[in-house]
Amino acid sequence: MGYSNHDKMEWTLILTLEFGRRFGLTLKQAFNYLSRYGGIAFVDEHYDYCHTQSFQSMVADMAEYCHRKGGALI
């Protein structure tokens, strides 16, 4: 199924905001962290799965994923 870039960007932005809230980061800091450790690329590649999950679940999954890629947040 095809998703519009707008839908993907909007969902990813909300996920990034929620991630930042969870770890006390600004939007920019959260985006930079997720970008650096592959979280944004993961969401882009697996959007069809990611957007069906709760933001709470995805924040936890992204924290774990990025941690495995060398990130310090968990």
Side-chain angles (χ1 to χ4, degrees):
M1 179 174 192
Y3 300 99
S4 73
N5 285 335
H6 179 268
D7 289 343
K8 288 173 76 171
M9 287 174 39
E10 184 176 56
W11 190 91
T12 303
L13 174 63
I14 296 168
L15 174 65
T16 305
L17 283 167
E18 292 298 322
F19 187 90
R21 283 185 187 140
R22 167 68 176 83
F23 292 103
L25 304 172
T26 66
L27 176 60
K28 183 176 181 177
Q29 290 171 324
F31 180 81
N32 287 341
Y33 181 87
L34 291 171
S35 291
R36 180 175 182 182
Y37 296 108
I40 298 293
F42 180 89
V43 168
D44 185 45
E45 186 174 338
H46 302 286
Y47 178 76
D48 55 335
Y49 165 77
C50 293
H51 88 281
T52 65
Q53 307 305 303
S54 71
F55 286 111
Q56 183 180 15
S57 174
M58 283 308 302
V59 166
D61 290 350
M62 286 295 95
E64 178 63 31
Y65 181 82
C66 291
H67 183 72
R68 284 185 275 145
K69 298 284 188 170
L73 300 176
I74 188 118

